[in-house]
Amino acid sequence: MAAKLKSGDKVVVLSGKDKGKQGTVTSVDPKAGKAVVDGINMAIRHTRQSQTSQGGRLPKAMPIDLSNLAIVDKNGKPTRVGFRLEGDKKVRFAKTTGDVIDA
């Protein structure tokens, strides 16, 4: 199945502790059905000090399920993603406005 969300997309969280927050997708794991969004689903990770980094308690964005994310359309509202053919290319579009989503 084609990816509805890609790296760089602006998304809003639909459910969970970060409901309503917006962020940009950093990476997507389609096999696990999860994505990492910067500033969303943060957890504290303890890291050991090394020659290059200080170490300590560092916040890290953890993966969030794709079903809890919706892409943001041009009006700033969450929307679903559809696919259509334009010429010979398959493009993603926002279901609410019908506009093509730029990757």
Side-chain angles (χ1 to χ4, degrees):
M1 187 171 151
K4 294 185 183 288
L5 294 178
K6 292 184 179 180
S7 186
D9 285 345
K10 185 148 174 115
V11 295
V12 63
V13 180
L14 299 176
S15 65
K17 67 177 184 178
D18 294 321
K19 181 177 179 176
K21 290 185 182 177
Q22 292 187 2
T24 306
V25 176
T26 306
S27 65
V28 179
D29 183 7
K31 192 169 187 178
K34 293 183 180 285
V36 176
V37 182
D38 58 344
I40 305 295
N41 201 22
M42 299 298 284
I44 299 294
R45 288 291 171 251
H46 299 267
T47 58
R48 184 178 293 244
Q49 183 177 358
S50 66
Q51 287 183 335
T52 57
S53 65
Q54 177 63 32
R57 300 175 67 218
L58 302 175
K60 180 182 178 186
M62 301 304 288
I64 187 169
D65 203 79
L66 291 176
S67 64
N68 295 332
L69 300 174
I71 200 158
V72 177
D73 64 3
K74 66 176 184 179
N75 300 327
K77 306 252 178 168
T79 184
R80 290 181 292 174
V81 177
F83 295 93
R84 67 176 172 223
L85 289 174
E86 288 191 358
D88 57 347
K89 294 183 96 178
K90 185 160 104 172
V91 296
R92 299 181 305 154
F93 72 97
K95 291 268 190 156
T96 54
T97 60
D99 294 334
V100 175
I101 299 168
D102 298 324

